[in-house]
Amino acid sequence: MENKMSEGIKMQLLMYIEYVKCGVKPIAFMNLQSRYITEALQLINQKELKLLIKDIQGCEEWKTIFLYKHNYLVDIINNLPNNPTSIFEHWILGKACGYSDEAIGEFING
C-alpha cells in the first residue's frame, strides 16, 4: 500500500498551512492517517510552522495534527475541548481556529 497522501488531503493540509502561516487562523487541525505524518511534517517544516500530534482514543491508525506558529499555542491546544458541549467550549474552539464571533454565534444558534 502506498504511503503518499492523496491530492485532496494534501490540498486541505496546504490550505491549513497557508491559513496559519498568514495569520488567518492561530491553529488549524485535522485528522490524518498515521502513515501520512512524515509527509505532513515535511510540508509543515517547509513553511517554518510547528506541529503537535495527538492520538485519537481507540483509533491507532489515525492521529489529530495541530498546526501552529507560536509556542504559547501549545498550552491552548492541550486545553481545547475534545467534544465541546457548552457555549463557552464552542466559542473557545472557534476562536482558536480563527472564526469570527458572528460565525461562532451562527454555529451555536443553529
Side-chain angles (χ1 to χ4, degrees):
M1 182 175 275
E2 190 173 315
N3 283 335
K4 188 171 179 166
M5 68 177 75
S6 72
E7 281 302 307
I9 294 169
K10 186 175 181 177
M11 293 306 293
Q12 181 181 6
L13 179 58
L14 289 171
M15 179 182 66
Y16 285 154
I17 288 169
E18 286 306 310
Y19 285 165
V20 173
K21 180 74 175 168
C22 296
V24 174
K25 294 180 173 286
I27 296 167
F29 66 93
M30 64 186 287
N31 294 332
L32 194 63
Q33 287 181 312
S34 300
R35 63 187 170 156
Y36 301 140
I37 297 294
T38 301
E39 187 177 353
L41 186 56
Q42 291 170 344
L43 293 170
I44 292 162
N45 284 340
Q46 289 174 0
K47 295 293 184 172
E48 299 175 356
L49 295 178
K50 297 170 183 152
L51 176 70
L52 183 95
I53 304 167
K54 290 191 169 197
D55 292 331
I56 298 175
Q57 188 174 8
C59 193
E60 288 182 31
E61 296 302 316
W62 288 80
K63 306 287 183 192
T64 301
I65 63 168
F66 293 85
L67 292 75
Y68 62 98
K69 188 189 297 189
H70 305 289
N71 290 330
Y72 74 89
L73 292 167
V74 171
D75 191 46
I76 292 169
I77 292 167
N78 285 328
N79 286 288
L80 289 174
N82 287 330
N83 297 306
T85 55
S86 71
I87 290 172
F88 173 76
E89 289 177 338
H90 283 289
W91 183 83
I92 201 69
L93 187 59
K95 285 308 233 183
C97 292
Y99 290 97
S100 69
D101 288 333
E102 293 80 17
I104 297 166
E106 287 176 16
F107 178 82
I108 290 170
N109 293 321

